[in-house]
Amino acid sequence: MFNGLRSLLFLLLIIPVTLVAQTGTIRGFLYDKQSGEPVLFTPVFLKGTQYGATTDVNGFYTITRIPQGSYILTVSSVGFDSLNVPVEVKADQVVTKQLYVNKAIVNLKT
């Protein structure tokens, strides 16, 4: 009886650890391609998911607890062209992506 209870208790304790270990992280910096300056307070997210982050005052972003798989890392901000970068996330891996965006060109009719 106790052996079965111990086995059940062991499984209940190990399952949450196993589930947490199946995620990865994406982090890096977002820069203006022309000037090299960091792009501040800009959303960086995984297309089609709810995973994302906003860059800080240094252009740094980090997205954590991402299930392993293939994604499109997307940057979309007013004043800059959209950027889509493929990324592969594996369990217990930290992927570093330095991103460079171009300023958007707006043609106004006279």
Side-chain angles (χ1 to χ4, degrees), residues 7-22:
S7 297
L8 179 63
L9 183 59
F10 176 76
L11 285 174
L12 290 175
L13 292 174
I14 197 72
I15 287 174
V17 171
T18 304
L19 291 175
V20 170
Q22 299 301 315

Side-chain angles (χ1 to χ4, degrees), residues 30 38 48 53 56 87:
L30 178 63
D56 65 10
V87 63

Side-chain angles (χ1 to χ4, degrees), residues 31-77:
Y31 298 107
D32 180 323
K33 191 171 186 175
Q34 285 75 30
S35 70
E37 293 292 319
V39 181
L40 316 177
F41 310 115
T42 301
V44 179
F45 58 94
L46 298 177
K47 192 173 191 173
T49 72
Q50 294 182 7
Y51 294 97
T54 301
T55 60
D56 65 10
V57 295
N58 299 309
F60 180 76
Y61 68 92
T62 183
I63 307 170
T64 59
R65 296 187 210 150
I66 307 165
Q68 56 186 341
S70 297
Y71 298 96
I72 301 294
L73 189 60
T74 301
V75 177
S76 182
S77 180

